[in-house]
Amino acid sequence: MARLVIALDPSTEDRLLADVVEHGHTIVGRLVGWRDVLESLDVLAPEVVLVGGGRDTLSAELLAGCDERGIRIVALSAGDAERAHAAQLGLHEVLDRSAGWREIEPLVRGGVPVPSRVGDASTRPPRSASVIAVWGPAGAPGRTTVAVNLAAEIAAAGHAVALVDADPYGGTIAPLLGLLDEAPGFASACRLAGGGALDRAELERIAQRYSAPRASFDVFTGLVGPSRWPELSAERVTATLEAIRSWAEYVVIDTGFSLERDEELTSDQFAPRRNAATFAALSSADRVVAVGLADPVGLSRLLRGYGDLVDVVEPERIDIMANRVRTSALGIDAHAQVRQTLRRFAGITDVAMLPHDGRAADAAILTARTLRDAAPRSPLRAALREYALERLLPVPEPARRPGFRLATVRRTAGRAAG
């Protein structure tokens, strides 16, 4: 149970006091302003500080003081202005002031990881994210599964990750992770980018959070229906990805499958292009993961699509990934069969192999969680983790503030910088 210092408005404090005690926590201080809280940190030695989101109770000095002492801080905001104030300071453990203790409790216990605030944003140079686009041919080769779980593994390594659903034919990331999909987050961001109004505060507002112990990440959900694809123009997608790139360390994009340019043969040169979002995402990516099913049909589709892909992306930026490798579809030594096929018909000698693990994949879908959360010992999860750590994370771990002790607080300076 936690030792709490509280600095809330009287009505909110009175509403929550009974629940705090009922859950076994100890209130070691009930203070008024952020200066009182900061001055009492060494004396009261709280584990958690629960404050209002306004300027009188939340400040950069208080955040720095809590970070130096390894104290978790949670804010309750009274509206958009206070939420924006907290986001500007780099605090993302923010809930609405009307939230019940059931929503606050996970943050108090530390079960939901939140981004850390390392250093002062005004003194840090901005860091550019690494953008990973996951592409695959028609036929459901596992693009979304790979994208979601790569995002989870990169986040678990201690990085700030944004997962983007940029499939112009209809997104599936939201239902796969149990997130609300009434409003397409990525399309909303694209519309704001088109009007020059996409800033950090809007990204914070639009993004949804997938929360899991030590592996949380932000999600920009996809289109709720294929008819809305004109919202994802090439210019808007490119501008939005650039904004997200400056907001997170790693950006993982689930792209569309089609690389056709037939629509460009129409007489109207200014008409929107159905596959423009896919081309824009691939062009913006530092690394493209091309996923294909490891069976005769899937490999044939992958080889044909690879020929079109290299016209858009340099081969040096492409990693080939064979999904659902199994002897029942390819015979004895399925791994060798995949390697020989790709080498013979496309000259591809380096391929990542993902084993067929239907039970783990079904468990993840059933519980709307990542493989890391639903089936942590899964061979499929292990293969994706190995690929992420060896191929996608060559940069060192982000620097951490000396004396920062909370293992559950992992987010680096990527979000606060820029």
Side-chain angles (χ1 to χ4, degrees):
M1 303 306 168
R3 292 168 53 87
L4 271 68
V5 162
I6 294 178
L8 300 169
D9 65 279
S11 61
T12 303
E13 181 176 300
D14 292 340
R15 179 173 61 84
L16 296 176
L17 279 178
D19 289 325
V20 173
V21 176
E22 182 178 344
H23 283 78
H25 303 298
T26 301
I27 298 176
V28 296
R30 298 167 64 182
L31 306 175
V32 178
W34 66 264
R35 289 183 177 85
D36 293 338
V37 176
L38 182 60
E39 293 172 358
S40 68
L41 292 179
D42 292 328
V43 177
L44 300 178
E47 294 170 289
V48 181
V49 172
L50 184 61
V51 300
R55 296 181 184 276
D56 55 340
T57 51
L58 179 62
S59 69
E61 291 85 350
L62 179 59
L63 294 184
C66 288
D67 279 351
E68 290 172 357
R69 297 165 176 80
I71 299 171
R72 190 177 302 113
I73 182 168
V74 180
L76 301 183
S77 70
D80 292 340
E82 291 189 359
R83 187 176 289 273
H85 170 63
Q88 185 178 14
L89 294 176
L91 178 67
H92 302 278
E93 306 93 308
V94 183
L95 295 173
D96 191 84
R97 189 169 65 178
S98 62
W101 192 258
R102 178 176 295 181
E103 299 173 69
I104 303 172
E105 177 69 9
L107 292 179
V108 170
R109 288 180 175 271
V112 179
V114 291
S116 65
R117 303 159 296 278
V118 184
D120 180 5
S122 63
T123 62
R124 289 193 309 272
R127 178 177 178 178
S128 180
S130 180
V131 179
I132 303 114
V134 181
W135 173 88
R143 289 184 305 273
T144 303
T145 297
V146 170
V148 165
N149 289 286
L150 286 181
E153 297 303 333
I154 296 172
H159 297 279
V161 180
L163 175 62
V164 174
D165 193 336
D167 187 349
Y169 292 85
T172 57
I173 285 179
L176 195 65
L177 293 177
L179 302 175
L180 297 176
D181 63 352
E182 286 87 352
F186 187 57
S188 299
C190 286
R191 287 196 297 273
L192 289 170
L198 185 62
D199 55 18
R200 185 178 304 275
E202 291 294 344
L203 288 172
E204 294 282 356
R205 180 180 64 83
I206 295 170
Q208 296 191 54
R209 187 80 169 162
Y210 174 82
S211 295
R214 298 179 299 280
S216 294
F217 51 89
D218 292 297
V219 181
F220 292 87
T221 56
L223 298 177
V224 295
S227 62
R228 300 185 64 174
W229 62 264
E231 298 176 32
L232 304 183
S233 68
E235 295 78 10
R236 290 179 174 183
V237 169
T238 301
T240 302
L241 292 178
E242 283 301 312
I244 298 174
R245 179 193 286 265
S246 67
W247 182 67
E249 286 185 278
Y250 286 86
V251 183
V252 181
I253 312 169
D254 182 15
T255 72
F257 67 90
S258 179
L259 299 177
E260 295 179 356
R261 295 184 181 269
D262 293 345
E263 57 201 1
E264 297 184 3
L265 300 178
T266 62
S267 59
D268 186 356
Q269 297 299 315
F270 300 98
R273 309 296 191 223
R274 178 66 177 266
N275 300 319
T278 301
F279 286 114
L282 294 174
S283 298
S284 299
D286 303 305
R287 176 63 49 185
V288 175
V289 182
V291 184
L293 285 177
D295 59 42
V297 175
L299 290 176
S300 177
R301 287 172 169 167
L302 177 61
L303 289 168
R304 288 198 298 268
Y306 180 77
D308 295 328
L309 183 62
V310 295
D311 291 335
V312 182
V313 182
E314 299 85 355
E316 294 77 17
R317 288 197 286 139
I318 302 174
D319 284 349
I320 302 298
M321 183 175 285
N323 189 23
R324 297 181 63 189
V325 180
R326 59 204 188 280
T327 58
S328 59
L330 294 172
I332 298 175
D333 198 353
H335 291 76
Q337 295 284 355
V338 171
R339 284 192 293 266
Q340 291 173 9
T341 300
L342 295 176
R343 181 172 59 248
R344 176 181 178 185
F345 293 103
I348 298 170
T349 57
D350 187 13
V351 55
M353 306 276 190
L354 302 182
H356 177 53
D357 193 352
R359 179 174 296 180
D362 288 347
I365 293 174
L366 179 64
T367 57
R369 295 188 294 171
T370 64
L371 287 168
R372 184 182 184 278
D373 297 324
R377 298 181 183 275
S378 159
L380 175 58
R381 184 254 165 163
L384 285 165
R385 180 177 183 273
E386 180 181 1
Y387 171 80
L389 295 179
E390 294 184 359
R391 303 287 189 92
L392 302 180
L393 300 178
V395 297
E397 280 282 320
R400 288 174 170 78
R401 180 192 289 272
F404 192 68
R405 302 185 298 276
L406 284 182
T408 57
V409 182
R410 321 168 319 344
R411 182 75 67 90
T412 61
R415 172 159 297 183

